[in-house]
Amino acid sequence: MRLILLGPPGAGKGTQAKMLAEKFSIPQISTGDILRKAVNLDSELGRQAKAYMGDGQLVPDEIAIELIREKIKEEDCAQGFILDGFPRTIVQAEKLGETLKEMKLEIDAVIDFEVDPHELIVRLTGRRSCSNCGAMFHDETRPPATAGVCDHCGHELYQRPDDNKETILKRLEVYDSETMPLKEFYRKRGNLKTLEGRGTVDEIFSQVCALVS
Ligand code: ADP
Ligand code: ZN
């Protein structure tokens, strides 16, 4: 199964992608996670990406596309994958389409997460992630048992540097102008499935599963 999760920052794509990856035993490919790792390692890629990410801008299409082209050719993607945070522009979507065509593969579904923008801001400003296992918490809606510590593995929680009000607003703006047009792009191709992003994480997961089965 090959899925694309489409939606604004804070819509819950990452959370659902992890759950889907587990259920279907296929990898979650998050360009955001890959880029953050590169920034932490201070690799060449990380150095290129850092300034864009800190400003809430997209990294250049060529960088994102190259990452994905390499990734989906890897062995662990043979049975499928879940793209989380890619494509984010029409150019990225077109290049992905070309790459898949070369590989004689197709996307099964594009799941579109719709969430009210005010809700997104609340979610992102309070978001905390585990530095070790990636589990997500929220200051108000999903606090860990001990402040600043992951419930699952005991490691320290951190706030993403781009989860501050100013950068969040920029990311939402970039989403509207660059990524939103992808809905029409995939609707025309007949594989867009829209989800009501409401309810608990488990309720949304059931909805997602119903859409792809
Ligand atoms: P979110 O969806 O919560 O904003 P991500 O973790 O998906 O966060 O992405 C974080 C940042 O990484 C983005 O703001 C952007 O700078 C960069 N990024 C991630 N994926 C892409 C992509 N496909 N194209 C360009 N930039 C990307
Ligand atoms: Zn953890």
Side-chain angles (χ1 to χ4, degrees), residues 29 67-78 81 83 96 99-100 103 105:
I29 306 177
L67 276 181
I68 290 294
R69 283 178 65 94
E70 280 175 25
K71 192 75 200 157
I72 62 181
K73 288 178 181 161
E74 284 174 14
E75 186 69 29
D76 65 339
C77 289
F81 49 75
L83 292 179
L96 173 67
T99 303
L100 290 173
M103 297 171 74
L105 298 175

Short mmCIF file of all heavy atoms in Angstrom, two decimals, residues 29 67-78 81 83 96 99-100 103 105:
data_model
loop_
_atom_site.label_atom_id
_atom_site.label_comp_id
_atom_site.label_asym_id
_atom_site.label_seq_id
_atom_site.Cartn_x
_atom_site.Cartn_y
_atom_site.Cartn_z
N ILE A 29 7.51 7.65 5.82
CA ILE A 29 8.60 8.50 5.31
C ILE A 29 8.21 9.95 5.55
O ILE A 29 7.32 10.49 4.89
CB ILE A 29 8.84 8.26 3.81
CG1 ILE A 29 9.09 6.77 3.54
CG2 ILE A 29 10.02 9.10 3.33
CD1 ILE A 29 9.27 6.44 2.06
N LEU A 67 15.61 13.50 -1.78
CA LEU A 67 15.45 12.68 -0.58
C LEU A 67 14.48 11.54 -0.81
O LEU A 67 14.74 10.38 -0.47
CB LEU A 67 14.82 13.53 0.55
CG LEU A 67 15.71 14.39 1.40
CD1 LEU A 67 14.86 15.11 2.45
CD2 LEU A 67 16.71 13.49 2.08
N ILE A 68 13.33 11.88 -1.38
CA ILE A 68 12.28 10.90 -1.58
C ILE A 68 12.64 9.89 -2.66
O ILE A 68 12.40 8.69 -2.52
CB ILE A 68 10.95 11.62 -1.92
CG1 ILE A 68 10.43 12.35 -0.69
CG2 ILE A 68 9.92 10.66 -2.48
CD1 ILE A 68 10.02 11.45 0.46
N ARG A 69 13.26 10.36 -3.72
CA ARG A 69 13.64 9.44 -4.81
C ARG A 69 14.55 8.34 -4.28
O ARG A 69 14.39 7.17 -4.61
CB ARG A 69 14.34 10.20 -5.94
CG ARG A 69 13.40 10.98 -6.82
CD ARG A 69 14.18 11.74 -7.90
NE ARG A 69 14.84 10.83 -8.81
CZ ARG A 69 14.32 10.43 -9.97
NH1 ARG A 69 13.13 10.85 -10.32
NH2 ARG A 69 14.98 9.62 -10.75
N GLU A 70 15.50 8.75 -3.44
CA GLU A 70 16.41 7.75 -2.87
C GLU A 70 15.68 6.80 -1.93
O GLU A 70 15.84 5.60 -1.99
CB GLU A 70 17.52 8.44 -2.07
CG GLU A 70 18.63 8.97 -2.93
CD GLU A 70 19.65 9.75 -2.13
OE1 GLU A 70 19.77 9.49 -0.91
OE2 GLU A 70 20.30 10.62 -2.72
N LYS A 71 14.86 7.41 -1.09
CA LYS A 71 14.19 6.65 -0.03
C LYS A 71 13.26 5.57 -0.59
O LYS A 71 13.28 4.43 -0.14
CB LYS A 71 13.41 7.67 0.82
CG LYS A 71 12.90 7.14 2.10
CD LYS A 71 14.01 6.99 3.13
CE LYS A 71 13.53 6.01 4.17
NZ LYS A 71 14.61 5.37 4.89
N ILE A 72 12.41 5.94 -1.56
CA ILE A 72 11.40 4.96 -1.99
C ILE A 72 12.00 3.83 -2.83
O ILE A 72 11.34 2.84 -3.10
CB ILE A 72 10.20 5.60 -2.74
CG1 ILE A 72 10.63 6.29 -4.02
CG2 ILE A 72 9.46 6.55 -1.83
CD1 ILE A 72 9.44 6.95 -4.75
N LYS A 73 13.27 3.98 -3.20
CA LYS A 73 13.93 2.88 -3.93
C LYS A 73 14.56 1.87 -2.97
O LYS A 73 15.04 0.82 -3.40
CB LYS A 73 14.96 3.43 -4.90
CG LYS A 73 14.26 4.10 -6.08
CD LYS A 73 15.20 4.73 -7.08
CE LYS A 73 14.39 5.37 -8.19
NZ LYS A 73 15.14 6.37 -8.95
N GLU A 74 14.57 2.21 -1.68
CA GLU A 74 15.19 1.29 -0.72
C GLU A 74 14.34 0.04 -0.51
O GLU A 74 13.12 0.06 -0.68
CB GLU A 74 15.45 2.01 0.62
CG GLU A 74 16.64 2.94 0.53
CD GLU A 74 16.86 3.80 1.77
OE1 GLU A 74 16.25 3.50 2.83
OE2 GLU A 74 17.63 4.77 1.66
N GLU A 75 15.05 -1.01 -0.13
CA GLU A 75 14.45 -2.33 0.07
C GLU A 75 13.18 -2.30 0.95
O GLU A 75 12.17 -2.93 0.64
CB GLU A 75 15.52 -3.20 0.75
CG GLU A 75 15.18 -4.64 0.92
CD GLU A 75 15.12 -5.39 -0.40
OE1 GLU A 75 15.84 -4.99 -1.36
OE2 GLU A 75 14.35 -6.34 -0.46
N ASP A 76 13.24 -1.57 2.06
CA ASP A 76 12.12 -1.61 3.01
C ASP A 76 10.85 -0.95 2.47
O ASP A 76 9.79 -1.05 3.07
CB ASP A 76 12.51 -0.99 4.36
CG ASP A 76 12.81 0.49 4.27
OD1 ASP A 76 13.12 0.98 3.16
OD2 ASP A 76 12.74 1.17 5.31
N CYS A 77 10.94 -0.31 1.30
CA CYS A 77 9.76 0.31 0.71
C CYS A 77 9.09 -0.57 -0.34
O CYS A 77 8.11 -0.17 -0.96
CB CYS A 77 10.12 1.66 0.09
SG CYS A 77 10.48 2.91 1.34
N ALA A 78 9.63 -1.77 -0.50
CA ALA A 78 9.12 -2.65 -1.57
C ALA A 78 7.64 -2.98 -1.40
O ALA A 78 6.90 -3.11 -2.37
CB ALA A 78 9.96 -3.92 -1.63
N PHE A 81 4.65 2.28 1.35
CA PHE A 81 5.17 3.33 2.24
C PHE A 81 4.08 4.37 2.49
O PHE A 81 3.08 4.42 1.77
CB PHE A 81 6.41 3.99 1.62
CG PHE A 81 6.23 4.42 0.19
CD1 PHE A 81 5.49 5.55 -0.14
CD2 PHE A 81 6.79 3.67 -0.84
CE1 PHE A 81 5.33 5.94 -1.46
CE2 PHE A 81 6.62 4.03 -2.18
CZ PHE A 81 5.89 5.18 -2.49
N LEU A 83 3.83 8.37 2.87
CA LEU A 83 4.51 9.66 2.74
C LEU A 83 3.82 10.68 3.63
O LEU A 83 2.62 10.93 3.51
CB LEU A 83 4.48 10.13 1.29
CG LEU A 83 5.31 9.32 0.30
CD1 LEU A 83 5.17 9.92 -1.11
CD2 LEU A 83 6.78 9.30 0.72
N LEU A 96 7.24 13.20 -8.14
CA LEU A 96 6.92 11.93 -7.49
C LEU A 96 6.19 11.03 -8.49
O LEU A 96 6.50 9.84 -8.62
CB LEU A 96 6.04 12.17 -6.26
CG LEU A 96 5.51 10.90 -5.59
CD1 LEU A 96 6.64 10.08 -4.98
CD2 LEU A 96 4.48 11.25 -4.51
N THR A 99 8.67 9.57 -10.90
CA THR A 99 9.50 8.53 -10.29
C THR A 99 8.72 7.22 -10.14
O THR A 99 9.21 6.14 -10.46
CB THR A 99 10.00 8.99 -8.90
OG1 THR A 99 10.71 10.20 -9.07
CG2 THR A 99 10.91 7.96 -8.25
N LEU A 100 7.48 7.34 -9.67
CA LEU A 100 6.68 6.14 -9.47
C LEU A 100 6.39 5.46 -10.81
O LEU A 100 6.39 4.23 -10.91
CB LEU A 100 5.37 6.48 -8.74
CG LEU A 100 5.54 6.89 -7.27
CD1 LEU A 100 4.23 7.37 -6.69
CD2 LEU A 100 6.09 5.72 -6.45
N MET A 103 9.12 3.42 -11.85
CA MET A 103 9.20 2.20 -11.04
C MET A 103 7.98 1.31 -11.25
O MET A 103 7.84 0.28 -10.59
CB MET A 103 9.31 2.58 -9.55
CG MET A 103 10.57 3.36 -9.21
SD MET A 103 10.50 4.01 -7.50
CE MET A 103 10.77 2.52 -6.54
N LEU A 105 4.91 1.90 -10.33
CA LEU A 105 4.13 1.86 -9.09
C LEU A 105 3.09 2.98 -9.11
O LEU A 105 3.21 3.93 -9.88
CB LEU A 105 5.06 2.08 -7.89
CG LEU A 105 6.14 1.04 -7.65
CD1 LEU A 105 7.03 1.46 -6.50
CD2 LEU A 105 5.53 -0.34 -7.39
#
